[in-house]
Amino acid sequence: MKLRALLTGLVLVASVNADELSQVNLSAGYQTSQEVFDYAVKTNLVKNSLTSMNFQLSDCKESMIYYFVEPVENIFKKSTYHCTYIGPKNHMSYVHDYSDISIDIYYNKSYLLHHEGDVAVRYWTVY
């Protein structure tokens, strides 16, 4: 029973939304996931907005998706890149604003390139 649940979970992770794949620009790509974060268009729009609001980058980490069997598709979701930004200082020393960027990174096996997927932003305040 546990094996069936595990395999079902892996199949769900491996299935990629067709709408997301149609947004991938095959003619342009990046060599690494870090380059996607540094240069990708949607990500830069979000980063520029956060910078204009005086948010500063705190840390980034990449969460890899480990497939039981490598996907057959030429383009598949490889990982998600998470970065946390610390918001501007408030006059109240115990209030901290944060922002989290989550970037889906796709890998193209044919061209050996990484592509930007969905970019999500989340804000929260800690008192």
Side-chain angles (χ1 to χ4, degrees):
M1 187 64 157
K2 289 181 182 180
L3 181 60
R4 179 178 287 172
L6 176 64
L7 290 176
T8 303
L10 290 173
V11 168
L12 291 175
V13 169
S15 64
V16 178
N17 188 349
D19 292 337
E20 291 175 353
L21 289 179
S22 66
Q23 296 173 2
V24 174
N25 183 359
L26 295 178
S27 63
Y30 304 96
Q31 295 296 318
T32 65
S33 301
Q34 178 67 42
E35 287 180 352
V36 173
F37 175 72
D38 291 338
Y39 306 117
V41 176
K42 291 185 275 185
T43 305
N44 272 332
L45 289 174
V46 173
K47 288 181 351 186
N48 291 341
S49 296
L50 289 171
T51 302
S52 69
M53 293 186 297
N54 295 323
F55 277 80
Q56 296 177 355
L57 180 64
S58 175
D59 68 339
C60 290
K61 65 180 179 179
E62 185 174 10
S63 300
M64 302 296 291
I65 297 175
Y66 296 103
Y67 294 98
F68 188 67
V69 176
E70 184 176 287
V72 179
E73 298 88 8
N74 279 339
I75 302 170
F76 61 92
K77 186 174 177 180
K78 177 188 173 195
S79 62
T80 303
Y81 210 78
H82 298 280
C83 292
T84 303
Y85 282 77
I86 299 175
K89 296 283 185 196
N90 248 340
H91 64 281
M92 298 172 54
S93 61
Y94 296 112
V95 177
H96 301 283
D97 293 327
Y98 294 93
S99 179
D100 182 55
I101 299 177
S102 177
I103 308 151
D104 290 339
I105 300 190
Y106 289 91
Y107 186 70
N108 187 327
K109 290 193 293 189
S110 299
Y111 296 108
L112 305 177
L113 294 174
H114 295 83
H115 297 280
E116 177 183 38
D118 289 336
V119 179
V121 184
R122 184 174 61 111
Y123 297 96
W124 71 95
T125 301
V126 177
Y127 295 94

